Amino acid sequence: MRASRIKFRHLQTFLEVARQKSVAKAAGLLGVSQPAVTKTIRELEEALGVAVVERDGRGIRLTRYGDVFLRHAGAALTALRQGVDSVSQELFEAAPPVRVGALPTVSTGIMPRAMSMFLQEKTGSRIKIVTGDNAVLLEQLRVGDLDLVVGRLAAPEKMAGFSFQHLYSEQVVFVVRTGHPLLASQKSVFDGFADYPVLMPTRGSIIRPHVEQFLIANGVPNLPTQVETVSDAFGRAFVRQSDAIWIISRGVIATDLADGFLAALPIDTSETRGPVGLTIRADATPSLPLTILMQTIRQAAEELVAGA
């Protein structure tokens, strides 16, 4: 193995291929050709002396050597980014940036309040907040593209290498527009599910397994008309102008319920409760701005729980 032959482009390309599980998708995001991506991966494998990727149907997957290298490659790029950020900080006298991934449930819940308090601290940090599926955000956290993920606790096998700090617990709710026929129905709410479109969390979302188990336990193994989405903007707009049923974490639509724009169906969903908290890399040392942001998120969560 000749470590001196491994360059920044090898690490960057490898991490993107690992994230996308596709040479074509990685090439598109990197702005290079597919042959260029393939060549770069081959150069990396020659330098390492082992294969790091292998075909998996139409896509690719990491070999066991690739899994090992991924952890170190991500840490290496993170260290490099931190070095660049440190130089920028010295040049422009700016605090290090803070990059946060937030699930939709907290993006519309505690994050606005937390950000308001954080900005009052005047740290000078540049803030980046992104939303997406839990699996996507955790992968970005793992490879160093994010510093913090705020959302539900993932399955144990997904939490290797991470540290989780509990904030509060949240459950799933079934919501409809005000005046929906099911709100006045005399029969079981579940019996009417087949008559209406149902907005379901996507298969990659963290609450999907809880929702599926809950529906099966209540005699609803199949939904004739369902739309999978994690877009709260689409869900809110579609439900308010149709008879659709939206299955979503309470935090996403808490304000809509309080304002009377949406209504929760009379269903006891307490068994879908799950912990919401802060996830960081176990080997990471949070910067001062990130530490302050985590403190403001905890305070916003405390206010949310106290006002519930």
Side-chain angles (χ1 to χ4, degrees), residues 84-102:
V84 172
D85 290 339
S86 296
V87 171
S88 297
Q89 180 179 351
E90 291 295 325
L91 289 174
F92 301 106
E93 299 183 348
V98 178
R99 301 159 300 175
V100 182

Side-chain angles (χ1 to χ4, degrees), residues 176-210:
V176 294
R177 64 173 177 81
T178 54
H180 192 283
L182 282 180
L183 293 172
S185 176
Q186 298 301 311
K187 62 180 182 179
S188 169
V189 171
F190 292 108
D191 291 340
F193 270 37
D195 300 328
Y196 306 100
V198 178
L199 299 188
M200 284 278 286
T202 61
R203 296 189 183 279
S205 66
I206 197 167
I207 64 172
R208 178 61 179 255
H210 301 285

